[in-house]
Amino acid sequence: MNLLREKLASISQAHNLIWLVIVVFGSLFTYYFNQNAKLITANEHRLAFEAQVLPRYALLSTSIDAVNLRLNAIASYLGVTDQASEETFSQYALRLGVEQTEVEYCWVSLQPFVVHSLLDRSDSRCAEFSPLQTSNVFFDEKPRALLSLPVHSENTVKGFAVAVVPLQALITDKSGSDKLHEFLVLMDTSRNLFQSYSISDNGIASTEAIGQYVSKPGLTFPLKRIGAFDFVYVAKPVESDVAWFGYGSLSLNALIWSLFFAMALYVRAIIYQRSEVQRQVDIRTEELSQFSYRASHDLKSPLSNIGGLVRFAQQDARDGNAAELDKNLAKIAEHVTRLQNLVGDILDLAMSDVKAGANEWVDLNRLLEVTIDNNAAQASAHGVTVKKNFASLPDIQSSNIRLLQIMDNLVSNAIKYADQSKPRPTVTIETKMTDDEAVVLVTDNGIGIPDQHMEDLFTVFTRFHPEHGQGSGLGLSIVKRHVDKLGGKIRVESTEQIGTAISVSLPLARVGK
Amino acid sequence: MTIQSILIVDDGEDDRYIIRRYLREIDSSWHLFEARNGREALEFLSDFEKQRTEYQHKFPPTLILLDINMPVMDGFEFLQEFAKLHQSEKYQSVVLAMISSSDRGEDKAKAQQYPFVKGFIEKWPETAESLHEQINAIV
């Protein structure tokens, strides 16, 4: 596969064209076989697999064709032909009580053409998959396939190597009306799937009978391997909970085509992944180049000024101009502070990618108390009242150091950019809890963020108020990175002159990572 | 060309102080205009009649010293706008020099697209004399 990847890496987007050719060719092929679909049940139960197979399921329709062909083969093996009477089929009928056979599984498709795993419904990923997960299997009418299998949770899945995807097809039922059915077709390369099933005389499969071979009532026989790959399929009318199952094998011919399509899809998937990776790399490179440009500018600029001012200060000293000397030294000190802040912020930003993620339990309210204490001096210097309104919160799985940085940034920003013209500059810090998140809300009635900056809030070196203070323009970028690392979300609302509200939502507990 | 006046466009207060002090040292007879960003500079330059009445032959400035990174309207945005003004006879004599602490080649190439950009001055020359030499070369 590595070789394949390397080869692909050397080929350009021309693959898109190849892909297109494959799809067109495959569709024609599929159409041809759908037209020739043969059905094996009695006429009344003819399953009309028409060509309404949706294009994105083109791969699967070859399997459906194989279903028909192979069921035909099984039919002749069993001595049941197309002319078989309805009675013959009715003898296969089985009705399974809801409480008897619960289909406790679902299919999870991780790639477009491969069902990777068949999971127990207790697996949370199952919840994302709807069609069959809660179906109880029973036939409310006569069986529509030659061999219909109740698939019991204990009988399914394990060792099940597979290829297939849901597909939809219109099936004409006995009354002549068309119903849209959903299908899953599964190839069993391991031959482990079809152990055995039985149908009792009264048409009800007893759970005790599972493990026996299935046949006409009273007759037990092994399911014989016919084609290259065994498979089972599951069909269910879209609007109903009733599902039914069929069994078959793929001929070598169909298999080759299936593999051909699978390969085409695989190639497609790799190309997509590659271009996606490339895109990510491009974005990061551009970010990095922007960053180093701005960083070098913002580092150099105070340094050059210090250089210039030092020369003037020397001159002032020589001239005995104490007042000017004093002014220049004060300016130098300011630039040094600015540099210190900037270097500190750049370090924070770099470290925000490195530090541990959410790996400890944090009392968020307490952490906010600490943050408020740390900023108390700044708040009183700016004449800002800090209010708090905390809901009771459980400890959250997060990171103390990251959260301290996030909160300190938000609170000190809110204080720094207070609107001194307002009678009562206030910063309010609230916490609240939703079902799965702890939310911190920092609101101020400060000078707000100009509209034109709302788009690049989190872009590095964006200063919203360059005339205001010594900000490095990195604060919110640092906050955003920390919040991302903690699996949280940040929302900023702001109106100039009115104030700013920033909320940070953090997951209460995180699995993994 | 004799320098009558120079327009300094820079958002940094200290930057303007440094260049102002250097320029005064070189020739205290030069009239210095200052703007804190491209927008301010453009507004100042656009109203030809008004400035002409007020500053007479000192307007338009002989030389514009233009910073690159500025809020509101940066150096490049200013160049784009100023190019339109420069087409007019009245501004034909004005030349520009970029002043920046970045010496990025890309920035230089971008600025050199404009024929009236005659030089680059890195922040800051060691001495007033070296700045004087650079300005002489530009004007």
Side-chain angles (χ1 to χ4, degrees):
Chain A
M1 269 313 136
N2 276 338
L3 191 70
L4 176 66
R5 274 172 213 273
E6 278 168 29
K7 284 245 186 279
L8 281 168
S10 65
I11 305 171
S12 72
Q13 292 296 318
H15 261 97
N16 284 326
L17 194 66
I18 297 173
W19 167 245
L20 190 69
V21 172
I22 290 171
V23 168
V24 171
F25 188 50
S27 304
L28 289 173
F29 171 83
T30 303
Y31 178 70
Y32 171 78
F33 270 88
N34 274 320
Q35 281 204 319
N36 293 290
K38 284 277 182 195
L39 302 164
I40 45 82
T41 60
N43 288 337
E44 296 90 332
H45 298 287
R46 185 174 290 272
L47 306 181
F49 294 103
E50 297 295 349
Q52 282 91 350
V53 176
L54 305 178
R56 70 191 173 105
Y57 299 127
L59 168 65
L60 266 300
S61 58
T62 63
S63 302
I64 278 299
D65 174 60
V67 168
N68 295 322
L69 292 175
R70 288 303 132 198
L71 286 179
N72 238 337
I74 299 170
S76 37
Y77 173 76
L78 293 176
V80 184
T81 68
D82 229 332
Q83 285 78 45
S85 69
E86 197 174 324
E87 283 67 41
T88 310
F89 277 97
S90 69
Q91 288 172 341
Y92 289 82
L94 57 118
R95 187 180 185 86
L96 301 174
V98 166
E99 68 288 351
Q100 281 180 308
T101 315
E102 296 191 7
V103 183
E104 291 287 339
Y105 62 84
C106 75
W107 319 104
V108 176
S109 174
L110 299 180
Q111 278 182 285
F113 57 95
V114 175
V115 178
H116 271 292
S117 45
L118 197 53
L119 297 158
D120 190 271
R121 266 190 61 208
S122 58
D123 187 296
S124 60
R125 279 174 290 179
C126 267
E128 295 166 16
F129 189 85
S130 54
L132 287 164
Q133 58 174 289
T134 57
S135 300
N136 293 300
V137 182
F138 63 96
F139 297 102
D140 58 345
E141 297 168 38
K142 283 157 189 160
R144 302 181 186 194
L146 184 65
L147 286 169
S148 302
L149 315 174
V151 179
H152 192 273
S153 55
E154 287 163 16
N155 284 338
T156 51
V157 293
K158 281 170 197 140
F160 198 19
V162 199
V164 184
V165 184
L167 94 140
Q168 295 190 331
L170 277 181
I171 294 179
T172 310
D173 69 11
K174 194 176 169 186
S175 63
S177 63
D178 289 342
K179 274 187 189 160
L180 191 62
H181 281 65
E182 290 170 339
F183 281 82
L184 285 171
V185 183
L186 310 159
M187 281 196 282
D188 175 25
T189 53
S190 67
R191 303 192 191 192
N192 290 331
L193 176 64
F194 308 112
Q195 294 173 7
S196 27
Y197 305 90
S198 76
I199 301 169
S200 64
D201 282 351
N202 61 7
I204 295 173
S206 67
T207 44
E208 298 84 50
I210 286 170
Q212 305 293 308
Y213 285 113
V214 186
S215 156
K216 297 174 190 173
L219 179 68
T220 299
F221 63 94
L223 294 176
K224 193 178 168 193
R225 190 177 177 78
I226 299 168
F229 280 66
D230 293 336
F231 64 86
V232 65
Y233 63 94
V234 184
K236 181 181 82 69
V238 170
E239 72 277 17
S240 125
D241 278 343
V242 179
W244 47 274
F245 299 81
Y247 163 90
S249 283
L250 283 180
S251 68
L252 197 59
N253 187 14
L255 174 69
I256 289 167
W257 278 107
S258 294
L259 289 176
F260 182 58
F261 280 107
M263 187 58 90
L265 280 160
Y266 186 67
V267 168
R268 179 72 188 157
I270 291 176
I271 291 172
Y272 175 75
Q273 271 170 6
R274 266 179 44 75
S275 60
E276 183 56 22
V277 166
Q278 190 55 48
R279 208 176 62 85
Q280 292 294 335
V281 169
D282 290 347
I283 290 173
R284 290 292 287 176
T285 311
E286 173 60 24
E287 274 176 11
L288 199 64
S289 127
Q290 274 296 322
F291 178 83
S292 49
Y293 172 62
R294 290 305 307 260
S296 77
H297 172 270
D298 285 27
L299 285 167
K300 269 171 107 176
S301 162
L303 276 174
S304 339
N305 283 356
I306 289 170
L309 291 166
V310 164
R311 281 191 287 276
F312 290 151
Q314 285 171 326
Q315 210 174 35
D316 296 335
R318 279 196 300 272
D319 298 349
N321 188 346
E324 196 69 13
L325 172 64
D326 203 44
K327 253 197 322 200
N328 280 332
L329 289 178
K331 283 177 186 168
I332 291 169
E334 246 176 64
H335 284 294
V336 170
T337 311
R338 181 173 298 178
L339 268 178
Q340 279 171 332
N341 289 344
L342 179 60
V343 170
D345 279 356
I346 289 177
L347 273 179
D348 282 346
L349 193 67
M351 291 308 285
S352 69
D353 280 340
V354 181
K355 277 178 200 146
N359 63 349
E360 57 192 339
W361 293 99
V362 180
D363 179 343
L364 197 54
N365 286 341
R366 224 181 87 84
L367 184 136
L368 284 166
E369 296 277 7
V370 173
T371 309
I372 293 171
D373 281 352
N374 289 345
N375 284 281
Q378 203 198 4
S380 75
H382 283 79
V384 173
T385 313
V386 179
K387 290 184 183 167
K388 58 186 180 187
N389 182 8
F390 293 169
S392 123
L393 292 178
D395 286 1
I396 61 168
Q397 199 179 358
S398 199
S399 153
N400 263 303
I401 183 116
R402 285 183 189 275
L403 282 176
L404 273 170
Q405 274 194 282
I406 293 171
M407 298 312 161
D408 188 67
N409 248 302
L410 296 184
V411 173
S412 70
N413 270 350
I415 293 170
K416 225 184 307 177
Y417 299 107
D419 188 345
Q420 300 299 340
S421 69
K422 285 185 183 139
R424 209 168 296 156
T426 310
V427 174
T428 310
I429 300 158
E430 288 171 78
T431 59
K432 53 189 177 188
M433 197 168 92
T434 68
D435 286 348
D436 47 4
E437 283 175 334
V439 183
V440 179
L441 189 65
V442 180
T443 319
D444 64 57
N445 58 353
I447 55 180
I449 300 167
D451 261 3
Q452 75 263 26
H453 285 307
M454 290 306 285
E455 269 179 23
D456 46 27
L457 277 177
F458 304 116
T459 311
V460 288
F461 299 109
T462 305
R463 292 189 193 84
F464 308 137
H465 303 285
E467 72 291 349
H468 222 270
Q470 307 246 321
S472 66
L474 292 176
L476 273 186
S477 323
I478 295 171
V479 167
K480 176 77 165 70
R481 289 208 190 180
H482 283 312
V483 171
D484 285 349
K485 285 278 175 184
L486 296 176
K489 290 190 290 280
I490 180 165
R491 264 183 298 275
V492 181
E493 281 170 41
S494 187
T495 312
E496 230 177 333
Q497 315 295 342
I498 305 287
T500 304
I502 301 185
S503 78
V504 174
S505 315
L506 298 154
L508 287 176
R510 274 157 54 87
V511 209
K513 285 247 161 142
Chain B
M1 197 196 295
T2 329
I3 294 175
Q4 296 289 343
S5 60
I6 296 175
L7 168 61
I8 304 163
V9 190
D10 199 315
D11 59 314
E13 201 185 322
D14 293 349
D15 297 71
R16 293 197 305 271
Y17 165 80
I18 292 169
I19 196 149
R20 202 162 55 220
R21 193 164 157 170
Y22 268 143
L23 294 174
R24 291 247 173 280
E25 203 178 313
I26 297 167
D27 190 333
S28 56
S29 73
W30 292 343
H31 188 90
L32 303 181
F33 300 107
E34 290 183 24
R36 288 177 300 174
N37 57 59
R39 168 72 49 214
E40 270 190 24
L42 205 65
E43 277 165 11
F44 168 73
L45 291 167
S46 303
D47 200 344
F48 189 90
E49 301 310 325
K50 183 185 164 208
Q51 314 303 358
R52 190 69 173 195
T53 317
E54 194 168 347
Y55 300 107
Q56 296 168 1
H57 64 280
K58 291 182 189 117
F59 187 88
T62 320
L63 170 68
I64 298 175
L65 296 175
L66 179 66
D67 185 27
I68 293 176
N69 288 288
M70 288 181 292
V72 188
M73 182 188 269
D74 70 19
F76 293 121
E77 289 164 336
F78 172 82
L79 286 178
Q80 215 174 341
E81 293 300 315
F82 182 71
K84 296 174 199 160
L85 273 189
H86 197 262
Q87 286 170 351
S88 143
E89 190 90 357
K90 300 170 190 164
Y91 299 92
Q92 286 282 308
S93 60
V94 182
V95 293
L96 266 105
M98 311 299 288
I99 42 169
S100 175
S101 51
S102 137
D103 54 353
R104 204 163 66 145
E106 200 183 316
D107 288 347
K108 289 190 178 176
K110 217 161 139 189
Q112 263 160 350
Q113 292 172 2
Y114 301 92
F116 45 79
V117 175
K118 302 289 186 193
F120 294 85
I121 297 170
E122 197 174 337
K123 287 179 180 175
W124 293 108
E126 290 282 318
T127 58
E129 289 74 44
S130 84
L131 179 63
H132 195 186
E133 281 167 27
Q134 292 186 54
I135 289 176
N136 279 339
I138 291 162
V139 175

